[in-house]
Amino acid sequence: MRSVRKLAVVALAGAALFGGASPALADTPKPSPSASKSDAAPTEAGTAFRTAVAVRQGQQATASASSGDYLYWMFPADAGQRPTVNARITLPEAASRHGASTWRIDVYDGLRRRQPCMYGMQSRSAAQDTGTIELSCTLRPTVAWADTWSTDPLPGTYYIRLTAVSLPETDRGLPFKAEVEPVMADTGGAHAVDGRLATPLGAKSAVAPEDGWASGWWTDRWLWTAAGGLLAALAGIGGYTLTRGRGRPSGVPRGA
């Protein structure tokens, strides 16, 4: 019975170890890799997909433009990451404006498909006297592979588009400033799939993640698989120990 108790203690300890590790891997945001000191943050934006300016994960890009312009940036997102795009807009002087305006950010994948925001305020109206507004868009977790008909986010380049979707005609052309920052959270193996892309979408167009493209080769499902194998082995040993004593008592001759 002592051996059984020891096995039970080991099994419970293993379950607690792996069970406690999973939430940390799945729920704790991973610090976004920042650009090195030699990589200055962008101070401009493109005006179309083809001229989008590359920004690294965790890097804050800035730009000055005219109200009514379309601003474009691009950033990389790898498998297992959940991108969030934050934007801050410093509006023109209130005295020069003639009414309210509405601003919006949209995020597109490497195939230029607009991805829905699961969380955040991607569109917001500003009164004439409002000085700044903040927008955000959190996408679905990026998966390593998906069917061709699916719109699931895939590893590769993502595009940010920022513009005023509504403003008085007389306010077009007024100067404003924008700040955007793409940040990543690691979702762990909760959204892992079997399979991966041969090449991330549009990977040649933008900067790669600081650690390179993982493309889903590692997930914390490996830990769960190892934990399951360990617990199964312990259960087998425990079962054998419990049933071994139910046979013929030792020292009793056959036929007795």
Side-chain angles (χ1 to χ4, degrees), residues 102-106 114 122-123 135 161-165:
T102 302
W103 299 76
R104 179 184 176 96
I105 55 171
D106 291 295
R114 187 166 65 86
Q122 72 173 125
S123 179
L135 306 173
R161 185 176 73 179
L162 171 65
T163 191
V165 295

Side-chain angles (χ1 to χ4, degrees), residues 11-61:
L12 291 174
L17 173 62
F18 289 99
S22 178
L25 290 170
D27 299 334
T28 303
K30 179 182 179 180
S32 300
S34 300
S36 63
K37 294 182 179 179
S38 61
D39 297 326
T43 57
E44 59 182 2
T47 57
F49 284 106
R50 291 186 177 183
T51 59
V53 173
V55 56
R56 296 183 180 276
Q57 297 176 356
Q59 191 177 49
Q60 186 179 81

Side-chain angles (χ1 to χ4, degrees), residues 217-228:
W217 73 271
W218 160 262
T219 74
D220 61 4
R221 289 200 302 179
W222 290 13
L223 296 179
W224 283 103
T225 300

